[in-house]
Amino acid sequence: YAEDLRYFVSLLWSPGSEHYSPDTRILFITPPASGELMIKAKMRSGHMPMIRNKDTKACAEVVKKVATEVGAPYVDLYSAMENRVHSANKRAEIPNKLGTSNSTSAGKVESTVQAAKSGKYGGYDQFLIDGIHLNPAGNKLLFDLVVAEINKNWPELKPSSPVLAKPPK
């Protein structure tokens, strides 16, 4: 996997390549986290192979390592999803651990928790359709992360940038 990623970068950034394009910007994106419970449910219907989150995490680590080696920025979608899923699950435990009653603030926390833990899939269904593919919220998360990384690394590509604001000649 790592060698394949390096190869694709070399096609654009190696002077000896027939596809050499040193000004091409490359942004790596890690795979999303995998919702194993969702995948297992789909497997029962015979529609999906099993993909384990630990394997997805290993792929995400390879993407980050290769991006760093070649000097390209990356979006860590895997960690962003994991952090959101696990922080929502931790918020779910707080009212129960504190013995909170039906107060207004407890109700707000509980509704947030239910939205985050939606259903029986541990919160992954807030970002994934089937345990692997992004749903609209997952696409929004990815979009926001990509835009932030572009703005950080290539500010001239911001929509408000004078370069992009000018109509083409």
Side-chain angles (χ1 to χ4, degrees):
Y1 185 56
E3 283 305 311
D4 289 343
L5 294 174
R6 288 185 197 98
Y7 170 73
F8 292 129
V9 170
S10 75
L11 287 175
L12 296 172
W13 286 358
S14 292
S17 169
E18 68 180 272
H19 306 288
Y20 181 56
S21 179
D23 295 329
T24 297
R25 295 171 176 108
I26 297 174
L27 176 64
F28 283 80
I29 301 174
T30 68
S34 303
E36 290 184 28
L37 294 174
M38 296 174 79
I39 295 169
K40 285 179 185 175
K42 295 287 184 181
M43 283 176 62
R44 283 192 282 277
S45 64
H47 294 4
M48 293 184 73
M50 184 61 195
I51 296 175
R52 303 228 179 261
N53 204 28
K54 67 180 178 131
D55 297 330
T56 306
K57 180 179 182 180
C59 288
E61 293 302 322
V62 169
V63 169
K64 295 188 294 187
K65 181 179 183 228
V66 171
T68 301
E69 285 175 10
V70 301
Y74 62 86
V75 168
D76 190 356
L77 179 60
Y78 176 88
S79 294
M81 285 179 59
E82 282 292 301
N83 291 340
R84 284 162 178 77
V85 166
H86 293 294
S87 68
N89 288 340
K90 285 180 183 173
R91 284 193 309 269
E93 297 169 7
I94 294 170
N96 295 335
K97 285 183 179 177
L98 298 176
T100 325
S101 64
N102 291 333
S103 72
T104 305
S105 62
K108 286 180 183 174
V109 169
E110 192 57 34
S111 67
T112 301
V113 166
Q114 290 308 316
K117 288 188 84 171
S118 59
K120 54 190 172 191
Y121 300 116
Y124 290 94
D125 49 335
Q126 69 181 310
F127 298 111
L128 302 169
I129 295 170
D130 55 10
I132 299 173
H133 302 99
L134 299 174
N135 65 17
N139 284 318
K140 172 76 167 100
L141 174 61
L142 176 58
F143 173 81
D144 291 343
L145 294 169
V146 166
V147 168
E149 204 61 33
I150 288 171
N151 288 342
K152 180 173 119 184
N153 289 283
W154 305 294
E156 70 278 10
L157 296 180
K158 286 182 182 179
S160 61
S161 165
V163 173
L164 294 178
K166 294 178 187 175
K169 293 180 181 181

